[in-house]
Amino acid sequence: MMIENDWLPAVEEEFRKPYYKELYKFIVNEYNTTVIYPPADDIFNAFHFTPLSKVKVVILGQDPYHNERQAHGLSFSVLPGNDTPPSLQNIYKELNDDLGCYIPNNGYLKKWADQGVLLLNTVLTVRAHQANSHQNRGWEKFTDAVIEAVNAKEEPVVFLLWGAPAGKKAKMLTNPNHLVLTAPHPSPLSAYRGFFGCKHFSQTNEFLKAHGLEPIDWQIENI
């Protein structure tokens, strides 16, 4: 449960702050006494898979999936063998409409992370079957520091902020080098209010290409 790559200098100050020490105590106790997702070794996978120097896109989620063997530390992604969750189904529908990607038979998004898409949840842990159960314990402060570290990058980054909680982060994104795109959340409750048709994926790739960066291959392959 440790960050070791180039994220460490960007966030290590957080580990020394009182809120993080409280959070750490709380999380250790939770893992020792109840069922928590993702597995402890997977909490920081978004950082392991996508080093800060490689971040080109940020997709901000809320908290991890709370059913067994779904969450593995990447927002919106589930481990192979799971049904694709409804929000991700809608992301795939938009990708199909926007870029013609076929809709794959799985929800494993590591391919995006490996290309520089930081799949960040604002809260990194959750109790089994209790959505938002680790909100307001300190993770939000930590992930705000992560967002600030990406905002400080000179290389252009695209931020995809879906839904009201993610949209609130827009005011932190002060760097004119970056592109910030907002839309309603892809959940079935709100996708029809403007997530469908937002064309965020093609806009992201056009922006990256315009800045001399490799576009993202958004096609998740069938397993």
Side-chain angles (χ1 to χ4, degrees):
M1 187 176 146
M2 209 41 225
I3 294 176
E4 288 165 351
N5 60 9
D6 66 359
W7 279 106
L8 187 57
V11 299
E12 64 185 338
E13 254 176 63
E14 299 303 304
F15 297 142
R16 297 190 197 101
K17 291 182 180 174
Y19 86 83
Y20 195 91
K21 290 175 177 160
E22 286 298 306
L23 170 65
Y24 185 83
K25 267 197 309 210
F26 168 73
I27 295 298
V28 168
N29 185 58
E30 287 282 278
Y31 274 95
N32 286 337
T33 55
T34 183
V35 180
I36 302 298
Y37 298 125
D41 288 347
D42 290 345
I43 292 174
F44 292 125
N45 274 350
F47 309 101
H48 300 323
F49 295 160
T50 313
L52 178 57
S53 58
K54 299 279 199 299
V55 173
K56 296 197 279 196
V57 181
V58 177
I59 297 180
L60 205 55
Q62 289 170 24
D63 69 338
Y65 296 119
H66 50 77
N67 290 331
E68 195 180 352
R69 290 203 78 257
Q70 286 184 311
H72 64 107
L74 304 182
S75 64
F76 294 101
S77 180
V78 288
L79 287 167
N82 286 282
D83 291 339
T84 303
S87 291
L88 184 54
Q89 288 177 27
N90 286 339
I91 290 169
Y92 285 162
K93 280 182 195 161
E94 176 59 22
L95 268 168
N96 174 255
D97 184 57
D98 187 9
L99 291 173
C101 296
Y102 70 81
I103 294 178
N105 63 4
N106 68 92
Y108 188 54
L109 304 182
K110 184 170 182 287
K111 177 181 174 178
W112 294 355
D114 291 340
Q115 297 178 80
V117 181
L118 180 67
L119 294 164
L120 180 68
N121 281 316
T122 52
V123 174
L124 300 186
T125 53
V126 69
R127 278 188 183 181
H129 318 304
Q130 293 179 46
N132 300 321
S133 45
H134 284 180
Q135 266 188 341
N136 302 319
R137 291 287 184 165
W139 277 131
E140 295 90 344
K141 284 183 187 165
F142 178 76
T143 53
D144 277 358
V146 169
I147 293 165
E148 282 165 5
V150 181
N151 181 58
K153 275 173 66 100
E154 288 188 13
E155 304 85 356
V157 175
V158 184
F159 289 85
L160 303 182
L161 306 181
W162 300 331
K168 287 194 182 113
K169 305 294 182 189
K171 62 180 181 293
M172 300 171 60
L173 305 174
T174 53
N175 186 332
N177 296 344
H178 304 327
L179 176 65
V180 180
L181 299 175
T182 58
H185 196 273
S187 99
L189 301 172
S190 54
Y192 292 94
R193 297 208 299 263
F195 178 78
F196 291 136
C198 70
K199 305 229 175 291
H200 278 186
F201 303 101
S202 57
Q203 287 185 66
T204 295
N205 280 355
E206 282 157 20
F207 178 83
L208 293 174
K209 286 190 286 199
H211 290 85
L213 296 167
E214 194 65 30
I216 305 298
D217 175 6
W218 293 104
Q219 179 67 65
I220 298 293
E221 279 87 14
N222 284 336
I223 292 179

